[in-house]
Amino acid sequence: MTIVERVLTLKQIDLLEGAGPRHLLGLAELVREVEMRTGQAIYGDADLADAIYVVFTGRVRLLAGGKELSTVGPGQAFGTWALVDDSARGQSAECVEDGVLVALGREEFYEFASGDPGLLSGIIHLLARRLKAIVAERPEEARVEVEGTADEAEPAKDLESKP
Amino acid sequence: MVVLDATRTRGYGRDMPTMSLRHPLRALKLETGEGTLFGLLALLVGTLFGGYTIAKVVRDSMFLGEFGATNLPWGYLAVALASIGIVAAESRLTTRLARAGATALGQFVAIACSLAFAALYPVNRHLVAGLFYVWAGSQAMMLLSYFWLLALELWDSRRAQAILPLFSGAGLFGGVAGGWFAHWGVGRIGTDGLLWTLAGSLVLARVITMALDKQLPVRPFVAQSGSGESPIGILRRSPFLRYLAATLALSVVVSTLVDFQFKYAVQQAYPDSHALTRFLGLFYAGLNGLALVAQFGVAGWLVKRSGVFLSTLPQPLTILAFSTWVVFSPVFGVIVALRWVQGVLFQTLGKSSFELYFMAVRPAERQKVKPALDTLVERLADAAVGIVLLIVLHSIGVDMRVVAGLTVVVALLWLWMLTRLQRRYVGEFRNSLAQHETTLPISAAGLGLPEARRTLVLALGSEDEAQVLTALGLAGQVSHRDVRPAVVARLDHAGVAVRAAAVRALDALAVPGHEAKIEPFLLEPDLDLRRAAIGYLLAHGADPTARARALLDGPDAELRVIALETLMDRRRIAPGAVTLAWVDDRLAAGSGEDLVAAARALTLVAGSGGDERLRRLVEHEDREVRRAALLTAARRPAPALLDRLVESLTDPDLAVEAREAVAALGLAAVPALAKLVEGGQEPTGRRVACEALGRIGGRSAIATLLWAVRSNDPDARFDALRALNRLRARSSSGLIPKAMAHQLWRRELAEYRDHLLPAFILVGAKDPRVVLLEDSFFESADWALDRACRALACYHRPEPFRSVYQYLRNPGAPGTRARALEYLSHLLPRRLFGELREIFEEKSIEKGTEGIPDDGQVAGCIERAYEIGDAWLRACAIRAAHALESHAPFVFAAKPDELPLVEAELAVYHASHPAAQAAS
């Protein structure tokens, strides 16, 4: 893959949609190309979220508790929550058609982003827009969540959901 | 190389001379460059307040002369209704106009009204008296609101607390002048002459505002509360705000009742219109003068000493006393004294204490609720008084005893409501502490108030550990005899975090004498507690040098590191504790940790012996040792290490530390940095070299940066412009001639336009390869616009240009782009501004680019990108060419020294389009 192809692939990651092409250029030099074979596990439920993936060729099935959630193909990203949450994946991914994945490690991402505030600000803007949409939908829950005026037992569900 | 005018480049860098205005500005808590702005604002508020006082005198004398005091309730009612209408119209206008536009419109309307009143007065006095009364109480009042909005927009809340009272003083000074002028002038120029003077003062205010607009920075809009909750919703939810609204309403009702009694009494005493005007002028001049003295004398002291509650009490209590007196003896002197005392206390203690009560409201909610309370509650209360007075006057006639009795009743209600409000006020602080909010909705000054202090002491003694931690975090800001023992008591707390916070609070409060209790904390395993204890013991304990040496030579490695860090952070607390022999011991020990400690310790060792040791550490193979040595070189300039330091600039991992070390060398480093900038092969080195030059300053550094600004490499131009902006921010005048700034602006704006046009053409394309080209064009345009703004910021003050750039590229709210263009219209010559307006206002670039681009348009954009673009844009152009399979193969002529990025794309394209390769 050329660098431009890698940038085109990274643009599929929804969390990076606000990042300009030249910001992605630096990241493109850090990504790994991972070959996958049918039946191979990409990650398991209990694995820590340490990288995000984009399918370049082939197909990947995503499962939660043994139940299929979806199948992703070329140009689609998965495991993207790894950028903002390093806890256990809570879902598994396995290859269902031979191909190549583009993997971006969480550590590499943050090391690069620490020198590129523009990239981080793009992600923060995107997250802020989403949070704003959630707040607009459920203002009362959001107020409680932000101001801590009620028990912390019931965070807004949308904030917990993972792709 | 560019040879600069010496007068423009003199004084940058480390030897920058101190400006003569610096100290007076600091005394006023103003920053460099804000002196003119402050002066103009003070002149504006003085003029407005002076004009408003003339208007008040004329308004009252005309109304009382034409309609009599018994018709005042109708006046209150009319003013209230007009104000509500004007506020509603004004809020609609401000969503469409920028603040400056709304202010200008308000001022022009006021000038037109005042001129019309002055012209019509000799023709129809009765009509003018009525209309003028309503106008002066409603639309004219808005001019003062505009001023306060502008002042609040310019300074954040912390600085506003210090600066805004000065404007209040300037306003009161204008009020004294206005009142005195009305008193002096009515006999000489008559009422119509005063009306013309008022119009003149409003014209003068407009002229000052225009001069002010040229000085104003464009500031980002303050984000609104994210909750989207209406002011009424917030009021319903907050009992404290409901009490505050009720208290405000009662204070307005009392003020209006007092105003009625006063005006009725003076009309009886001065039936002659001119005599009435003379008296009112003198009265308002005296009232403003006394308020001015009180504001800068007693008021601040009383609020700080007695707290907000006790400072609020004098107003209702004195009104209660004087009104009771009027009930028994309604004589002229007592009524005038009542109005006088009420006016002075309202202007001083009343206003400040209400502002303090508002501090207990969360900032986002305060921003929404305060304007609503200020306008709606005040006006509705006025209207209510108008109706009540109409009923009273029509049922029992004019009886001052009854009105004074009514005032007594409402003042009692006001007092009762104040006690309820106070209970809620203290409760708000307690809630904040109970919820562990580290950023309380009050300022440090607010924490010093007795009510907040008492609550803080209660929180310090709480059982809730999190609450105690929050309180200890705040206690360090409150040096008071009640707070200190409460903090000391927490040294015995079972929680390690609480003890650490208590030690830090005592350190911040500089309370000595607790070494015996704190010393054992050094033996505890918790790092935070040990750090806090060392900080306290070295700063406030006996013989800090001996103690520091004991820690540095002791067996505990962790304590050694903490002690060294503490000595570096607070260099004055134990001078001479670190010696060259100690450094040599660490060097001899030779572990990574020891070498890092030795490198850091060299910061504290004076003399040439340190340089050689520092060189060894800067050249060490361990990256962390090198980093520590570079940081020391930044604090302890070492010219002998220049070559080694400059080499480190190209190491991305150490570039920041190396930059600081090189910049610390000053002008001696410029020739070596110039080589890096002019060599241009290594982007990281060039960027960091520009940053170092931007820290050094001086003629030679600026000349090197200007060389880069004129180069053909956009990245080099950006790096150099950023460095120049940094220098400009520290300077009192432009770094380059204005014409040069305009020339640079024009060049970058042309590049912006060149990239924006193809970007707009490609909007709507579906193929991701073409979309990538479109995004890259937009990004190039953005960057060119950024450089254009930075070019202007080499001559003009740079601070506003960050907002100008953001507003132009991404207008987030209505009017933001208009604000940026308005600002630039003041700076740019007409011709240059016309070019800019053509792009942003007339949108000529977007014209003809609507719809999905056809293959011909995409092909044109690909060719354009390859022709004008940087390496990235060229690579994207080649990739986008794959999307046009039906198009004849593109011939991409390879450029000399092409980057691998482009070569890789060319190879892929030529592999799938052999004919293109042959042609190229």
Side-chain angles (χ1 to χ4, degrees):
Chain A
M1 290 168 80
T2 66
I3 290 285
V4 177
E5 282 174 317
R6 288 184 180 187
V7 169
L8 277 166
T9 310
L10 286 173
K11 271 180 76 74
Q12 309 302 321
I13 300 172
D14 61 350
L15 275 178
L16 297 179
E17 75 180 33
R22 287 173 182 84
H23 294 287
L24 296 180
L25 181 59
L27 277 183
E29 286 168 2
L30 301 176
V31 298
R32 289 175 287 125
E33 289 170 34
V34 182
E35 280 193 31
M36 58 175 179
R37 301 271 171 232
T38 306
Q40 180 188 339
I42 315 294
Y43 54 73
D45 292 33
D47 291 348
L48 292 181
D50 59 353
I52 51 178
Y53 297 92
V54 189
V55 181
F56 187 60
T57 55
R59 299 186 78 74
V60 171
R61 183 190 295 141
L62 303 176
L63 305 111
K67 209 168 148 186
E68 181 172 332
L69 295 174
S70 61
T71 303
V72 290
Q76 290 180 297
F78 62 96
T80 51
W81 208 245
L83 273 194
V84 284
D85 181 11
D86 60 357
S87 58
R89 294 272 188 188
Q91 56 177 231
S92 59
E94 66 176 39
C95 173
V96 289
E97 185 186 313
D98 292 359
V100 174
L101 294 173
V102 169
L104 173 61
R106 179 187 158 78
E107 291 303 320
E108 288 84 357
F109 172 78
Y110 279 106
E111 199 176 319
F112 174 79
S114 65
D116 184 357
L119 180 67
L120 280 182
S121 82
I123 294 176
I124 291 167
H125 278 137
L126 181 82
L127 290 173
R129 270 207 308 276
R130 289 184 182 179
L131 190 61
K132 217 169 167 182
I134 293 169
V135 169
E137 273 175 33
R138 304 175 182 194
E140 199 49 36
E141 278 181 40
R143 193 183 69 76
V144 169
E145 181 67 18
V146 172
E147 296 178 1
T149 49
D151 290 343
E152 292 176 358
E154 289 184 27
K157 282 176 186 145
D158 289 1
L159 294 175
E160 282 193 320
S161 64
K162 293 179 184 180
Chain B
M1 286 281 182
V2 177
V3 179
L4 288 169
D5 177 357
T7 57
R8 291 196 175 279
T9 56
R10 188 172 49 224
Y12 300 111
R14 313 185 69 72
D15 54 347
M16 187 185 284
T18 308
M19 296 201 317
S20 58
L21 264 177
R22 192 171 166 185
H23 296 305
L25 294 180
R26 284 281 147 83
L28 290 172
K29 302 211 186 316
L30 293 171
E31 288 173 4
T32 308
E34 288 183 341
T36 315
L37 188 67
F38 174 83
L40 285 170
L41 281 165
L43 194 60
L44 178 61
V45 72
T47 309
L48 284 173
F49 217 83
Y52 181 66
T53 308
I54 294 174
K56 254 198 324 190
V57 172
V58 174
R59 174 193 76 169
D60 291 345
S61 63
M62 282 201 305
F63 188 90
L64 294 174
E66 291 296 324
F67 298 96
T70 48
N71 279 310
L72 272 172
W74 290 109
Y76 298 145
L77 207 52
V79 168
L81 293 175
S83 296
I84 291 169
I86 286 166
V87 168
E90 188 263 346
S91 67
R92 280 192 185 179
L93 260 179
T94 45
T95 58
R96 296 174 61 182
L97 294 172
R99 184 211 39 82
T103 305
L105 184 66
Q107 287 179 333
F108 282 129
V109 170
I111 291 168
C113 288
S114 59
L115 287 172
F117 290 131
L120 282 174
Y121 180 72
V123 182
N124 191 336
R125 293 183 176 205
H126 198 68
L127 179 69
V128 168
L131 290 178
F132 188 82
Y133 189 89
V134 177
W135 171 78
S138 52
Q139 201 267 332
M141 281 280 284
M142 296 300 294
L143 300 184
L144 286 165
S145 306
Y146 290 137
F147 171 83
W148 292 116
L149 276 179
L150 169 62
L152 285 169
E153 198 181 293
L154 284 172
W155 287 288
D156 58 44
S157 59
R158 185 183 59 80
R159 296 188 59 216
Q161 270 192 316
I163 294 171
L164 297 196
L166 299 174
F167 290 134
S168 299
L172 288 171
F173 193 78
V176 173
W180 179 83
F181 182 83
H183 166 77
W184 171 85
V186 69
R188 291 166 174 81
I189 56 176
T191 302
D192 42 355
L194 289 178
L195 284 172
W196 287 112
T197 310
L198 169 64
S201 72
L202 291 175
V203 171
L204 178 61
R206 178 66 209 141
V207 172
I208 299 169
T209 308
M210 283 162 67
L212 199 54
D213 280 345
K214 292 189 178 172
Q215 297 285 328
L216 289 178
V218 176
R219 289 176 65 85
F221 283 113
V222 177
Q224 297 296 309
S225 165
S227 68
E229 208 173 359
S230 70
I232 302 294
I234 297 170
L235 270 176
R236 273 191 191 160
R237 189 163 47 73
S238 165
F240 173 72
L241 277 172
R242 286 204 300 276
Y243 283 110
L244 190 57
T247 312
L248 182 65
L250 287 169
S251 77
V252 173
V253 169
V254 167
S255 303
T256 313
L257 287 171
V258 170
D259 184 69
F260 175 76
Q261 295 170 68
F262 168 71
K263 284 174 184 165
Y264 185 83
V266 293
Q267 195 210 351
Q268 304 296 315
Y270 296 97
D272 172 60
S273 170
H274 275 201
L276 180 62
T277 307
R278 265 200 302 279
F279 171 78
L280 286 173
L282 196 61
F283 177 83
Y284 284 123
L287 194 150
N288 287 324
L290 199 60
L292 185 64
V293 173
Q295 173 155 339
F296 290 99
V298 189
W301 175 82
L302 192 65
V303 170
K304 203 172 174 185
R305 182 95 186 160
S306 318
V308 62
F309 179 60
L310 291 178
S311 310
T312 319
L313 289 182
Q315 209 186 343
L317 283 176
T318 47
I319 290 172
L320 196 61
F322 277 98
S323 297
T324 312
W325 192 350
V326 175
V327 170
F328 294 106
S329 170
V331 292
F332 177 73
V334 181
I335 293 174
V336 170
L338 167 66
R339 173 70 179 90
W340 186 297
V341 170
Q342 181 270 332
V344 172
L345 289 177
F346 176 75
Q347 292 273 25
T348 52
L349 288 175
K351 277 187 179 171
S352 356
S353 50
F354 264 109
E355 293 302 319
L356 284 169
Y357 275 127
F358 266 113
M359 275 189 187
V361 183
R362 288 182 179 79
E365 294 179 349
R366 183 167 62 218
Q367 205 182 335
K368 279 194 165 185
V369 169
K370 195 169 181 300
L373 283 186
D374 281 350
T375 50
L376 281 177
V377 173
E378 285 192 25
R379 295 302 150 221
L380 289 175
D382 263 347
V385 177
I387 293 167
V388 169
L389 280 174
L390 280 174
I391 295 167
V392 170
L393 298 181
H394 278 86
S395 51
I396 57 169
V398 183
D399 187 340
M400 277 300 108
R401 291 172 196 271
V402 173
V403 181
L406 200 59
T407 312
V408 169
V409 172
V410 184
L412 280 170
L413 260 175
W414 181 10
L415 272 171
W416 175 76
M417 192 56 76
L418 267 175
T419 58
R420 303 293 304 259
L421 177 69
Q422 174 65 10
R423 207 172 297 164
R424 283 282 169 187
Y425 177 66
V426 174
E428 287 291 306
F429 288 131
R430 199 173 296 146
N431 285 344
S432 296
L433 287 167
Q435 287 162 19
H436 319 139
E437 292 179 10
T438 45
T439 49
L440 283 182
I442 50 172
S443 65
L447 271 175
L449 294 173
E451 293 91 341
R453 215 165 50 218
R454 280 194 289 273
T455 313
L456 192 64
V457 171
L458 280 176
L460 285 169
S462 160
E463 293 296 313
D464 177 0
E465 186 170 319
Q467 192 178 146
V468 177
L469 282 172
T470 311
L472 283 169
L474 297 164
Q477 302 172 45
V478 190
S479 182
H480 192 270
R481 61 177 180 277
D482 296 345
V483 175
R484 287 192 289 266
V487 175
V488 171
R490 298 288 82 179
L491 291 175
D492 297 322
H493 197 275
V496 176
V498 171
R499 274 181 284 152
V503 176
R504 270 196 297 271
L506 288 176
D507 191 359
L509 294 170
V511 181
H514 298 283
E515 295 105 300
K517 199 161 257 183
I518 290 172
E519 190 136 18
F521 294 168
L522 296 179
L523 303 174
E524 300 231 11
D526 186 76
L527 179 68
D528 195 34
L529 182 58
R530 297 179 119 199
R531 193 182 294 281
I534 288 181
Y536 177 87
L537 291 169
L538 292 182
H540 310 292
D543 199 355
T545 304
R547 192 189 292 275
R549 281 200 180 135
L551 289 166
L552 291 170
D553 293 331
D556 191 326
E558 194 175 84
L559 284 184
R560 202 158 52 227
V561 172
I562 300 172
L564 189 59
E565 284 172 353
T566 308
L567 291 173
M568 286 169 66
D569 288 344
R570 303 160 83 170
R571 294 180 68 167
R572 289 184 186 172
I573 57 177
V578 178
T579 59
L580 213 50
W582 188 85
V583 173
D584 286 337
D585 286 347
R586 299 273 73 78
L587 289 173
S591 73
E593 281 180 7
D594 282 309
L595 294 176
V596 168
R600 300 170 100 185
L602 283 171
T603 312
L604 303 165
V605 183
S608 58
D611 283 4
E612 183 44 42
R613 289 163 178 84
L614 193 57
R615 172 180 285 281
R616 275 159 53 198
L617 294 166
V618 166
E619 290 170 352
H620 198 273
E621 60 187 13
D622 185 326
R623 185 176 295 271
E624 292 313 309
V625 174
R626 290 209 302 277
R627 191 188 306 283
L630 287 171
L631 284 171
T632 298
R635 292 178 167 205
R636 182 186 192 285
L641 305 186
L642 175 63
D643 294 349
R644 200 67 201 87
L645 299 179
V646 170
E647 272 175 40
S648 302
L649 289 174
T650 54
D651 181 343
D653 259 7
L654 297 173
V656 172
E657 293 82 358
R659 178 193 69 198
E660 297 305 314
V662 172
L665 297 176
L667 293 173
V670 172
L673 291 170
K675 274 187 200 162
L676 264 183
V677 173
E678 291 164 13
Q681 293 90 354
E682 213 289 306
T684 307
R686 184 199 57 221
R687 177 175 54 78
V688 185
C690 284
E691 287 171 4
L693 289 167
R695 281 159 172 73
I696 294 170
R699 289 179 66 181
S700 52
I702 292 174
T704 304
L705 290 169
L706 281 176
W707 181 90
V709 162
R710 292 180 151 176
S711 76
N712 287 326
D713 180 348
D715 291 338
R717 297 208 296 275
F718 174 79
D719 293 339
L721 285 168
R722 199 168 56 159
L724 286 168
N725 291 166
R726 187 185 165 91
L727 283 173
R728 176 62 183 89
R730 289 158 49 196
S731 155
S732 57
S733 59
L735 290 184
I736 57 175
K738 194 197 264 190
M740 189 192 284
H742 290 163
Q743 193 187 352
L744 295 172
W745 153 270
R746 219 172 163 202
R747 175 191 183 179
E748 301 298 355
L749 200 69
E751 193 151 307
Y752 171 70
R753 202 187 162 99
D754 282 350
H755 287 88
L756 202 60
L757 181 61
F760 277 126
I761 290 172
L762 293 176
V763 169
K766 298 280 182 254
D767 189 295
R769 294 164 294 190
V770 180
V771 172
L772 181 66
L773 181 63
E774 172 205 327
D775 286 350
S776 301
F777 264 126
F778 272 121
E779 193 175 53
S780 296
D782 257 4
W783 290 9
L785 184 63
D786 188 10
R787 291 194 302 273
C789 291
R790 287 181 184 279
L792 287 183
C794 294
Y795 175 77
H796 299 285
R797 284 173 50 213
E799 295 84 0
F801 286 96
R802 289 296 75 215
S803 308
V804 169
Y805 164 61
Q806 293 297 342
Y807 288 3
L808 286 178
R809 72 183 279 261
N810 184 24
T816 49
R817 183 172 279 174
R819 272 175 80 170
L821 289 173
E822 181 192 331
Y823 182 73
L824 289 172
S825 71
H826 295 305
L827 305 183
L828 292 171
R830 188 181 295 267
R831 186 171 51 89
L832 290 190
F833 183 70
E835 289 171 8
L836 178 72
R837 204 174 48 194
E838 197 182 307
I839 296 173
F840 286 103
E841 281 188 347
E842 296 166 13
K843 296 191 176 168
S844 59
I845 288 184
E846 289 177 60
K847 279 178 195 162
T849 62
E850 296 87 357
I852 297 169
D854 58 34
D855 283 1
Q857 286 175 313
V858 175
C861 291
I862 289 171
E863 284 163 1
R864 187 80 181 131
Y866 198 76
E867 184 190 330
I868 65 165
D870 58 3
W872 171 253
L873 209 52
R874 291 203 299 282
C876 289
I878 301 165
R879 178 57 52 173
H882 291 277
L884 298 183
E885 288 304 330
S886 58
H887 192 273
F890 288 85
V891 179
F892 294 112
K895 298 192 175 181
D897 301 327
E898 194 56 277
L899 290 178
L901 167 74
V902 185
E903 282 175 353
E905 285 303 316
L906 274 176
V908 174
Y909 187 74
H910 288 153
S912 56
H913 299 84
Q917 185 175 21
S920 68

